[in-house]
Amino acid sequence: MDLLDDYLSGVRARGAVFCSTVSVPPWGMRFTEPAPLTLSAMLRGDAWLVPDAGEPVELPRGGIALVRARTPYTVADRPDSRPHVLVDGDDRCTLVGDPADPGDPADPMEPMEPVEPGRNWRVTGRTVGDAADGGTDLLVTAGYRVGGDLCRPLLDALPPITIVRPDTGLSALLDLIAAEVEHDEPGQQVVLDRFLDLLLVRALRTWFAHPGATPPPGYRALADPDIGHVLRRLHEEPARPWTVASLADEAGMSRTAFARRFSALVGRPPLAYLTDWRMALAADRLHAPGATVTAVAKEVGYADGFAFSAAFKRVRGISPSGHRAAGPRP
């Protein structure tokens, strides 16, 4: 296990929205209640992602968009194309027709006429698209209902809209997804969900390798043979009574050299990083049914609830019981 494994441990595509055969332009889909993290892959054709607040962003063929904005946005063949499908939540799709008053066709909030039955769009299970054959554009979208504290460093490291440009390392996986959505087959939902989970990990790797990206603390340190090994050990056994000396032994370095190198690569001292990670684990586990402060304390390496509570309040600014009463973070 490493930090990306842990950040993504609860992030899974389940019953994702699949937008298949999105016909010939013009077309558009408006996401009225985006998930905390949404992945959109343009398998055929080109598109634009148009947020309600901000400038349109191009999504080229083979490109992947990671969206963590919680405000509505539209994906369309052109920035000014009118959406005819409204996606509300994970897979609730509503068809809409042409503007009741065509004064401003680019205004997504303008009243719409009801769609004519059988016209342009169909919704069949997980597929939204043109009823006619031979559509030129193909978009696949997955919504991830992430929450809690473990994935927070990952979400915080992403801009509101991340565009991962076409990459040869992703093309084979995109081809597999495109082939899978062409026909309804038994078990297709499970296959596509797993493909999209894999695509998310590969897209994140590609983005965080970009020089302009700011990955979560410690991510780039995983490439260092010694410090990367120590980080993996911390994530594998967070409850172990680690000291700077024992961590330096894991790295095969002196205490002074290890502490200096760890701090330079990770951005914080080793025991401070360990404490932050333990508190992130504890913050999520406190919301588990039946969890007690004493039990969670032992799970993350504290001998008793008093020492754990003091550390939790120092790091989080709230007591464990207060955190639990406040409910999970959205």
PDB file of all heavy atoms in Angstrom, residues 136-170:
ATOM      1  N   THR A 136     -21.101  10.027 -34.389  1.00  0.00           N
ATOM      2  CA  THR A 136     -19.675  10.287 -34.555  1.00  0.00           C
ATOM      3  C   THR A 136     -18.958  10.521 -33.240  1.00  0.00           C
ATOM      4  O   THR A 136     -17.739  10.388 -33.179  1.00  0.00           O
ATOM      5  CB  THR A 136     -19.470  11.516 -35.444  1.00  0.00           C
ATOM      6  OG1 THR A 136     -20.114  12.645 -34.835  1.00  0.00           O
ATOM      7  CG2 THR A 136     -20.051  11.283 -36.827  1.00  0.00           C
ATOM      8  N   ASP A 137     -19.658  10.923 -32.175  1.00  0.00           N
ATOM      9  CA  ASP A 137     -19.024  11.296 -30.926  1.00  0.00           C
ATOM     10  C   ASP A 137     -19.392  10.303 -29.828  1.00  0.00           C
ATOM     11  O   ASP A 137     -20.527   9.816 -29.774  1.00  0.00           O
ATOM     12  CB  ASP A 137     -19.457  12.705 -30.495  1.00  0.00           C
ATOM     13  CG  ASP A 137     -19.027  13.763 -31.496  1.00  0.00           C
ATOM     14  OD1 ASP A 137     -18.271  13.418 -32.421  1.00  0.00           O
ATOM     15  OD2 ASP A 137     -19.452  14.916 -31.356  1.00  0.00           O
ATOM     16  N   LEU A 138     -18.446  10.037 -28.951  1.00  0.00           N
ATOM     17  CA  LEU A 138     -18.682   9.088 -27.861  1.00  0.00           C
ATOM     18  C   LEU A 138     -18.026   9.609 -26.588  1.00  0.00           C
ATOM     19  O   LEU A 138     -16.813   9.827 -26.540  1.00  0.00           O
ATOM     20  CB  LEU A 138     -18.118   7.712 -28.209  1.00  0.00           C
ATOM     21  CG  LEU A 138     -18.259   6.613 -27.148  1.00  0.00           C
ATOM     22  CD1 LEU A 138     -19.725   6.375 -26.810  1.00  0.00           C
ATOM     23  CD2 LEU A 138     -17.616   5.329 -27.632  1.00  0.00           C
ATOM     24  N   LEU A 139     -18.840   9.827 -25.581  1.00  0.00           N
ATOM     25  CA  LEU A 139     -18.390  10.340 -24.285  1.00  0.00           C
ATOM     26  C   LEU A 139     -18.770   9.337 -23.202  1.00  0.00           C
ATOM     27  O   LEU A 139     -19.870   8.808 -23.193  1.00  0.00           O
ATOM     28  CB  LEU A 139     -19.076  11.685 -23.998  1.00  0.00           C
ATOM     29  CG  LEU A 139     -18.867  12.294 -22.607  1.00  0.00           C
ATOM     30  CD1 LEU A 139     -17.447  12.826 -22.474  1.00  0.00           C
ATOM     31  CD2 LEU A 139     -19.876  13.411 -22.364  1.00  0.00           C
ATOM     32  N   VAL A 140     -17.848   9.079 -22.292  1.00  0.00           N
ATOM     33  CA  VAL A 140     -18.124   8.218 -21.142  1.00  0.00           C
ATOM     34  C   VAL A 140     -17.858   9.026 -19.880  1.00  0.00           C
ATOM     35  O   VAL A 140     -16.812   9.672 -19.755  1.00  0.00           O
ATOM     36  CB  VAL A 140     -17.247   6.954 -21.162  1.00  0.00           C
ATOM     37  CG1 VAL A 140     -17.432   6.158 -19.878  1.00  0.00           C
ATOM     38  CG2 VAL A 140     -17.592   6.077 -22.348  1.00  0.00           C
ATOM     39  N   THR A 141     -18.819   9.005 -18.954  1.00  0.00           N
ATOM     40  CA  THR A 141     -18.711   9.792 -17.728  1.00  0.00           C
ATOM     41  C   THR A 141     -18.969   8.907 -16.521  1.00  0.00           C
ATOM     42  O   THR A 141     -19.883   8.092 -16.528  1.00  0.00           O
ATOM     43  CB  THR A 141     -19.717  10.952 -17.735  1.00  0.00           C
ATOM     44  OG1 THR A 141     -19.431  11.819 -18.831  1.00  0.00           O
ATOM     45  CG2 THR A 141     -19.635  11.755 -16.449  1.00  0.00           C
ATOM     46  N   ALA A 142     -18.159   9.070 -15.484  1.00  0.00           N
ATOM     47  CA  ALA A 142     -18.339   8.335 -14.234  1.00  0.00           C
ATOM     48  C   ALA A 142     -18.339   9.318 -13.077  1.00  0.00           C
ATOM     49  O   ALA A 142     -17.462  10.180 -12.980  1.00  0.00           O
ATOM     50  CB  ALA A 142     -17.222   7.313 -14.034  1.00  0.00           C
ATOM     51  N   GLY A 143     -19.344   9.203 -12.201  1.00  0.00           N
ATOM     52  CA  GLY A 143     -19.403  10.027 -11.002  1.00  0.00           C
ATOM     53  C   GLY A 143     -18.933   9.232  -9.793  1.00  0.00           C
ATOM     54  O   GLY A 143     -19.336   8.086  -9.587  1.00  0.00           O
ATOM     55  N   TYR A 144     -18.051   9.822  -8.999  1.00  0.00           N
ATOM     56  CA  TYR A 144     -17.488   9.162  -7.821  1.00  0.00           C
ATOM     57  C   TYR A 144     -18.023   9.853  -6.569  1.00  0.00           C
ATOM     58  O   TYR A 144     -17.745  11.032  -6.336  1.00  0.00           O
ATOM     59  CB  TYR A 144     -15.966   9.221  -7.844  1.00  0.00           C
ATOM     60  CG  TYR A 144     -15.352   8.442  -8.980  1.00  0.00           C
ATOM     61  CD1 TYR A 144     -15.189   9.017 -10.242  1.00  0.00           C
ATOM     62  CD2 TYR A 144     -14.958   7.123  -8.802  1.00  0.00           C
ATOM     63  CE1 TYR A 144     -14.644   8.302 -11.289  1.00  0.00           C
ATOM     64  CE2 TYR A 144     -14.403   6.400  -9.846  1.00  0.00           C
ATOM     65  CZ  TYR A 144     -14.244   6.998 -11.086  1.00  0.00           C
ATOM     66  OH  TYR A 144     -13.705   6.291 -12.126  1.00  0.00           O
ATOM     67  N   ARG A 145     -18.786   9.106  -5.761  1.00  0.00           N
ATOM     68  CA  ARG A 145     -19.339   9.648  -4.527  1.00  0.00           C
ATOM     69  C   ARG A 145     -18.323   9.530  -3.405  1.00  0.00           C
ATOM     70  O   ARG A 145     -18.462   8.728  -2.489  1.00  0.00           O
ATOM     71  CB  ARG A 145     -20.631   8.902  -4.172  1.00  0.00           C
ATOM     72  CG  ARG A 145     -21.766   9.167  -5.166  1.00  0.00           C
ATOM     73  CD  ARG A 145     -22.258  10.598  -5.073  1.00  0.00           C
ATOM     74  NE  ARG A 145     -23.136  10.956  -6.177  1.00  0.00           N
ATOM     75  CZ  ARG A 145     -23.630  12.170  -6.347  1.00  0.00           C
ATOM     76  NH1 ARG A 145     -23.315  13.141  -5.520  1.00  0.00           N
ATOM     77  NH2 ARG A 145     -24.420  12.430  -7.370  1.00  0.00           N
ATOM     78  N   VAL A 146     -17.249  10.306  -3.522  1.00  0.00           N
ATOM     79  CA  VAL A 146     -16.202  10.270  -2.503  1.00  0.00           C
ATOM     80  C   VAL A 146     -16.587  11.183  -1.347  1.00  0.00           C
ATOM     81  O   VAL A 146     -17.393  12.099  -1.486  1.00  0.00           O
ATOM     82  CB  VAL A 146     -14.849  10.709  -3.094  1.00  0.00           C
ATOM     83  CG1 VAL A 146     -14.430   9.777  -4.201  1.00  0.00           C
ATOM     84  CG2 VAL A 146     -14.927  12.139  -3.620  1.00  0.00           C
ATOM     85  N   GLY A 147     -16.008  10.923  -0.213  1.00  0.00           N
ATOM     86  CA  GLY A 147     -16.283  11.743   0.959  1.00  0.00           C
ATOM     87  C   GLY A 147     -15.346  11.367   2.083  1.00  0.00           C
ATOM     88  O   GLY A 147     -14.489  10.492   1.944  1.00  0.00           O
ATOM     89  N   GLY A 148     -15.497  12.007   3.223  1.00  0.00           N
ATOM     90  CA  GLY A 148     -14.638  11.700   4.351  1.00  0.00           C
ATOM     91  C   GLY A 148     -13.306  12.403   4.241  1.00  0.00           C
ATOM     92  O   GLY A 148     -13.101  13.319   3.444  1.00  0.00           O
ATOM     93  N   ASP A 149     -12.352  11.935   5.048  1.00  0.00           N
ATOM     94  CA  ASP A 149     -11.068  12.620   5.172  1.00  0.00           C
ATOM     95  C   ASP A 149      -9.928  11.936   4.434  1.00  0.00           C
ATOM     96  O   ASP A 149      -8.945  12.587   4.090  1.00  0.00           O
ATOM     97  CB  ASP A 149     -10.701  12.757   6.650  1.00  0.00           C
ATOM     98  CG  ASP A 149     -11.536  13.803   7.364  1.00  0.00           C
ATOM     99  OD1 ASP A 149     -12.721  13.553   7.623  1.00  0.00           O
ATOM    100  OD2 ASP A 149     -11.003  14.886   7.654  1.00  0.00           O
ATOM    101  N   LEU A 150     -10.020  10.630   4.202  1.00  0.00           N
ATOM    102  CA  LEU A 150      -8.897   9.933   3.582  1.00  0.00           C
ATOM    103  C   LEU A 150      -8.605  10.443   2.189  1.00  0.00           C
ATOM    104  O   LEU A 150      -7.452  10.536   1.779  1.00  0.00           O
ATOM    105  CB  LEU A 150      -9.173   8.421   3.537  1.00  0.00           C
ATOM    106  CG  LEU A 150      -9.064   7.678   4.863  1.00  0.00           C
ATOM    107  CD1 LEU A 150      -9.226   6.187   4.637  1.00  0.00           C
ATOM    108  CD2 LEU A 150      -7.731   7.959   5.543  1.00  0.00           C
ATOM    109  N   CYS A 151      -9.649  10.768   1.426  1.00  0.00           N
ATOM    110  CA  CYS A 151      -9.434  11.218   0.052  1.00  0.00           C
ATOM    111  C   CYS A 151      -9.261  12.731  -0.045  1.00  0.00           C
ATOM    112  O   CYS A 151      -9.037  13.248  -1.143  1.00  0.00           O
ATOM    113  CB  CYS A 151     -10.585  10.780  -0.838  1.00  0.00           C
ATOM    114  SG  CYS A 151     -12.178  11.487  -0.348  1.00  0.00           S
ATOM    115  N   ARG A 152      -9.353  13.444   1.080  1.00  0.00           N
ATOM    116  CA  ARG A 152      -9.280  14.898   1.030  1.00  0.00           C
ATOM    117  C   ARG A 152      -7.973  15.423   0.444  1.00  0.00           C
ATOM    118  O   ARG A 152      -7.992  16.355  -0.381  1.00  0.00           O
ATOM    119  CB  ARG A 152      -9.508  15.464   2.433  1.00  0.00           C
ATOM    120  CG  ARG A 152      -9.630  16.981   2.502  1.00  0.00           C
ATOM    121  CD  ARG A 152     -10.759  17.501   1.651  1.00  0.00           C
ATOM    122  NE  ARG A 152     -12.019  16.809   1.934  1.00  0.00           N
ATOM    123  CZ  ARG A 152     -13.146  17.069   1.293  1.00  0.00           C
ATOM    124  NH1 ARG A 152     -13.163  17.964   0.320  1.00  0.00           N
ATOM    125  NH2 ARG A 152     -14.247  16.420   1.600  1.00  0.00           N
ATOM    126  N   PRO A 153      -6.788  14.873   0.823  1.00  0.00           N
ATOM    127  CA  PRO A 153      -5.554  15.386   0.199  1.00  0.00           C
ATOM    128  C   PRO A 153      -5.545  15.226  -1.311  1.00  0.00           C
ATOM    129  O   PRO A 153      -4.988  16.062  -2.017  1.00  0.00           O
ATOM    130  CB  PRO A 153      -4.452  14.537   0.859  1.00  0.00           C
ATOM    131  CG  PRO A 153      -5.039  14.099   2.158  1.00  0.00           C
ATOM    132  CD  PRO A 153      -6.503  13.887   1.882  1.00  0.00           C
ATOM    133  N   LEU A 154      -6.160  14.157  -1.796  1.00  0.00           N
ATOM    134  CA  LEU A 154      -6.225  13.948  -3.239  1.00  0.00           C
ATOM    135  C   LEU A 154      -7.100  14.991  -3.908  1.00  0.00           C
ATOM    136  O   LEU A 154      -6.706  15.615  -4.899  1.00  0.00           O
ATOM    137  CB  LEU A 154      -6.758  12.547  -3.531  1.00  0.00           C
ATOM    138  CG  LEU A 154      -6.976  12.194  -5.003  1.00  0.00           C
ATOM    139  CD1 LEU A 154      -5.651  12.173  -5.743  1.00  0.00           C
ATOM    140  CD2 LEU A 154      -7.690  10.861  -5.133  1.00  0.00           C
ATOM    141  N   LEU A 155      -8.296  15.215  -3.364  1.00  0.00           N
ATOM    142  CA  LEU A 155      -9.196  16.209  -3.955  1.00  0.00           C
ATOM    143  C   LEU A 155      -8.599  17.605  -3.867  1.00  0.00           C
ATOM    144  O   LEU A 155      -8.708  18.403  -4.801  1.00  0.00           O
ATOM    145  CB  LEU A 155     -10.557  16.168  -3.251  1.00  0.00           C
ATOM    146  CG  LEU A 155     -11.376  14.887  -3.420  1.00  0.00           C
ATOM    147  CD1 LEU A 155     -12.703  15.012  -2.676  1.00  0.00           C
ATOM    148  CD2 LEU A 155     -11.615  14.561  -4.881  1.00  0.00           C
ATOM    149  N   ASP A 156      -7.966  17.917  -2.733  1.00  0.00           N
ATOM    150  CA  ASP A 156      -7.384  19.249  -2.562  1.00  0.00           C
ATOM    151  C   ASP A 156      -6.231  19.499  -3.530  1.00  0.00           C
ATOM    152  O   ASP A 156      -5.905  20.652  -3.821  1.00  0.00           O
ATOM    153  CB  ASP A 156      -6.896  19.425  -1.127  1.00  0.00           C
ATOM    154  CG  ASP A 156      -8.053  19.535  -0.123  1.00  0.00           C
ATOM    155  OD1 ASP A 156      -9.199  19.756  -0.572  1.00  0.00           O
ATOM    156  OD2 ASP A 156      -7.803  19.384   1.086  1.00  0.00           O
ATOM    157  N   ALA A 157      -5.593  18.421  -4.011  1.00  0.00           N
ATOM    158  CA  ALA A 157      -4.466  18.581  -4.924  1.00  0.00           C
ATOM    159  C   ALA A 157      -4.906  18.823  -6.362  1.00  0.00           C
ATOM    160  O   ALA A 157      -4.083  19.182  -7.205  1.00  0.00           O
ATOM    161  CB  ALA A 157      -3.576  17.340  -4.867  1.00  0.00           C
ATOM    162  N   LEU A 158      -6.195  18.626  -6.651  1.00  0.00           N
ATOM    163  CA  LEU A 158      -6.695  18.803  -8.010  1.00  0.00           C
ATOM    164  C   LEU A 158      -7.326  20.179  -8.179  1.00  0.00           C
ATOM    165  O   LEU A 158      -8.032  20.655  -7.290  1.00  0.00           O
ATOM    166  CB  LEU A 158      -7.741  17.740  -8.331  1.00  0.00           C
ATOM    167  CG  LEU A 158      -7.261  16.297  -8.423  1.00  0.00           C
ATOM    168  CD1 LEU A 158      -8.458  15.358  -8.545  1.00  0.00           C
ATOM    169  CD2 LEU A 158      -6.315  16.117  -9.603  1.00  0.00           C
ATOM    170  N   PRO A 159      -7.121  20.827  -9.316  1.00  0.00           N
ATOM    171  CA  PRO A 159      -7.871  22.055  -9.603  1.00  0.00           C
ATOM    172  C   PRO A 159      -9.330  21.712  -9.854  1.00  0.00           C
ATOM    173  O   PRO A 159      -9.695  20.537 -10.005  1.00  0.00           O
ATOM    174  CB  PRO A 159      -7.189  22.598 -10.865  1.00  0.00           C
ATOM    175  CG  PRO A 159      -6.532  21.423 -11.484  1.00  0.00           C
ATOM    176  CD  PRO A 159      -6.170  20.484 -10.376  1.00  0.00           C
ATOM    177  N   PRO A 160     -10.226  22.703  -9.885  1.00  0.00           N
ATOM    178  CA  PRO A 160     -11.642  22.400 -10.141  1.00  0.00           C
ATOM    179  C   PRO A 160     -11.870  21.609 -11.419  1.00  0.00           C
ATOM    180  O   PRO A 160     -12.723  20.732 -11.464  1.00  0.00           O
ATOM    181  CB  PRO A 160     -12.281  23.793 -10.213  1.00  0.00           C
ATOM    182  CG  PRO A 160     -11.410  24.653  -9.363  1.00  0.00           C
ATOM    183  CD  PRO A 160     -10.020  24.140  -9.587  1.00  0.00           C
ATOM    184  N   ILE A 161     -11.115  21.913 -12.468  1.00  0.00           N
ATOM    185  CA  ILE A 161     -11.201  21.162 -13.725  1.00  0.00           C
ATOM    186  C   ILE A 161      -9.787  20.792 -14.154  1.00  0.00           C
ATOM    187  O   ILE A 161      -8.935  21.660 -14.323  1.00  0.00           O
ATOM    188  CB  ILE A 161     -11.885  21.977 -14.833  1.00  0.00           C
ATOM    189  CG1 ILE A 161     -13.330  22.311 -14.445  1.00  0.00           C
ATOM    190  CG2 ILE A 161     -11.858  21.204 -16.155  1.00  0.00           C
ATOM    191  CD1 ILE A 161     -14.022  23.228 -15.431  1.00  0.00           C
ATOM    192  N   THR A 162      -9.551  19.504 -14.296  1.00  0.00           N
ATOM    193  CA  THR A 162      -8.254  19.004 -14.739  1.00  0.00           C
ATOM    194  C   THR A 162      -8.442  18.323 -16.084  1.00  0.00           C
ATOM    195  O   THR A 162      -9.268  17.416 -16.210  1.00  0.00           O
ATOM    196  CB  THR A 162      -7.687  17.988 -13.731  1.00  0.00           C
ATOM    197  OG1 THR A 162      -7.552  18.605 -12.451  1.00  0.00           O
ATOM    198  CG2 THR A 162      -6.338  17.464 -14.186  1.00  0.00           C
ATOM    199  N   ILE A 163      -7.697  18.743 -17.088  1.00  0.00           N
ATOM    200  CA  ILE A 163      -7.750  18.108 -18.395  1.00  0.00           C
ATOM    201  C   ILE A 163      -6.447  17.333 -18.611  1.00  0.00           C
ATOM    202  O   ILE A 163      -5.366  17.917 -18.649  1.00  0.00           O
ATOM    203  CB  ILE A 163      -7.935  19.133 -19.530  1.00  0.00           C
ATOM    204  CG1 ILE A 163      -9.233  19.925 -19.331  1.00  0.00           C
ATOM    205  CG2 ILE A 163      -7.938  18.419 -20.884  1.00  0.00           C
ATOM    206  CD1 ILE A 163     -10.498  19.101 -19.416  1.00  0.00           C
ATOM    207  N   VAL A 164      -6.585  16.020 -18.701  1.00  0.00           N
ATOM    208  CA  VAL A 164      -5.448  15.162 -19.019  1.00  0.00           C
ATOM    209  C   VAL A 164      -5.448  14.963 -20.524  1.00  0.00           C
ATOM    210  O   VAL A 164      -6.373  14.355 -21.077  1.00  0.00           O
ATOM    211  CB  VAL A 164      -5.549  13.812 -18.285  1.00  0.00           C
ATOM    212  CG1 VAL A 164      -4.363  12.919 -18.632  1.00  0.00           C
ATOM    213  CG2 VAL A 164      -5.616  14.033 -16.768  1.00  0.00           C
ATOM    214  N   ARG A 165      -4.452  15.486 -21.180  1.00  0.00           N
ATOM    215  CA  ARG A 165      -4.406  15.471 -22.638  1.00  0.00           C
ATOM    216  C   ARG A 165      -4.196  14.047 -23.159  1.00  0.00           C
ATOM    217  O   ARG A 165      -3.737  13.171 -22.434  1.00  0.00           O
ATOM    218  CB  ARG A 165      -3.273  16.382 -23.127  1.00  0.00           C
ATOM    219  CG  ARG A 165      -3.477  17.851 -22.749  1.00  0.00           C
ATOM    220  CD  ARG A 165      -4.670  18.447 -23.469  1.00  0.00           C
ATOM    221  NE  ARG A 165      -4.988  19.793 -22.974  1.00  0.00           N
ATOM    222  CZ  ARG A 165      -6.000  20.515 -23.418  1.00  0.00           C
ATOM    223  NH1 ARG A 165      -6.780  20.040 -24.371  1.00  0.00           N
ATOM    224  NH2 ARG A 165      -6.246  21.711 -22.918  1.00  0.00           N
ATOM    225  N   PRO A 166      -4.555  13.798 -24.424  1.00  0.00           N
ATOM    226  CA  PRO A 166      -4.370  12.461 -24.996  1.00  0.00           C
ATOM    227  C   PRO A 166      -2.959  11.945 -24.767  1.00  0.00           C
ATOM    228  O   PRO A 166      -1.980  12.681 -24.930  1.00  0.00           O
ATOM    229  CB  PRO A 166      -4.656  12.681 -26.483  1.00  0.00           C
ATOM    230  CG  PRO A 166      -5.589  13.851 -26.518  1.00  0.00           C
ATOM    231  CD  PRO A 166      -5.150  14.739 -25.393  1.00  0.00           C
ATOM    232  N   ASP A 167      -2.874  10.680 -24.378  1.00  0.00           N
ATOM    233  CA  ASP A 167      -1.606  10.083 -23.986  1.00  0.00           C
ATOM    234  C   ASP A 167      -1.582   8.645 -24.488  1.00  0.00           C
ATOM    235  O   ASP A 167      -2.556   7.909 -24.343  1.00  0.00           O
ATOM    236  CB  ASP A 167      -1.450  10.130 -22.467  1.00  0.00           C
ATOM    237  CG  ASP A 167      -0.112   9.582 -22.013  1.00  0.00           C
ATOM    238  OD1 ASP A 167      -0.020   8.360 -21.810  1.00  0.00           O
ATOM    239  OD2 ASP A 167       0.830  10.370 -21.850  1.00  0.00           O
ATOM    240  N   THR A 168      -0.450   8.247 -25.065  1.00  0.00           N
ATOM    241  CA  THR A 168      -0.360   6.890 -25.604  1.00  0.00           C
ATOM    242  C   THR A 168      -0.514   5.840 -24.518  1.00  0.00           C
ATOM    243  O   THR A 168      -0.997   4.736 -24.774  1.00  0.00           O
ATOM    244  CB  THR A 168       0.993   6.692 -26.321  1.00  0.00           C
ATOM    245  OG1 THR A 168       2.066   7.027 -25.415  1.00  0.00           O
ATOM    246  CG2 THR A 168       1.090   7.581 -27.551  1.00  0.00           C
ATOM    247  N   GLY A 169      -0.133   6.170 -23.292  1.00  0.00           N
ATOM    248  CA  GLY A 169      -0.278   5.211 -22.206  1.00  0.00           C
ATOM    249  C   GLY A 169      -1.716   4.958 -21.817  1.00  0.00           C
ATOM    250  O   GLY A 169      -2.017   3.949 -21.169  1.00  0.00           O
ATOM    251  N   LEU A 170      -2.626   5.857 -22.190  1.00  0.00           N
ATOM    252  CA  LEU A 170      -4.040   5.705 -21.864  1.00  0.00           C
ATOM    253  C   LEU A 170      -4.862   5.194 -23.040  1.00  0.00           C
ATOM    254  O   LEU A 170      -6.007   4.767 -22.856  1.00  0.00           O
ATOM    255  CB  LEU A 170      -4.616   7.056 -21.412  1.00  0.00           C
ATOM    256  CG  LEU A 170      -4.034   7.659 -20.135  1.00  0.00           C
ATOM    257  CD1 LEU A 170      -4.545   9.087 -19.953  1.00  0.00           C
ATOM    258  CD2 LEU A 170      -4.394   6.833 -18.922  1.00  0.00           C
TER     259      LEU A 170
END
